[in-house]
Amino acid sequence: MIERVYQYIRREGMLAPGDRVAVAVSGGADSVALLEALLRLRERLGLQLCVAHFNHCLRGAESEQDAAFVCRLAAD
């Protein structure tokens, strides 16, 4: 799967070596998978990654848990 993501990025010219990329991570499965894929490809693509999360506070404690989860991911 990672190879397919790599080939798509290259074919579409989405990113170039030296790019600084903010990865928007909500804490859901899709954005965490995107972060994981880009982490695995960052050296190969020559990227600098930054994790971005915005807590809209729409779901009370669940929103807080998502924010804490994303903070842990970014720290790791």
Side-chain angles (χ1 to χ4, degrees):
M1 181 59 133
I2 298 299
E3 186 61 28
R4 289 178 66 191
V5 172
Y6 173 77
Q7 292 301 327
Y8 184 82
I9 289 170
R10 300 295 293 162
R11 182 177 62 247
E12 299 300 322
M14 295 174 74
L15 302 167
D19 280 355
R20 297 174 70 178
V21 179
V23 184
V25 181
S26 67
D30 54 347
S31 63
V32 171
L34 173 63
L35 176 61
E36 179 65 26
L38 290 175
L39 283 169
R40 291 184 186 198
L41 293 171
R42 73 178 157 181
E43 287 185 29
R44 192 170 171 192
L45 291 169
L47 304 175
Q48 294 180 25
L49 301 178
C50 175
V51 176
H53 177 80
F54 184 81
N55 184 349
H56 293 277
C57 300
L58 297 176
R59 296 177 296 117
E62 276 188 65
S63 292
E64 295 300 322
Q65 291 169 355
D66 288 345
F69 173 70
V70 173
C71 283
R72 288 192 303 274
L73 277 179
D76 288 344

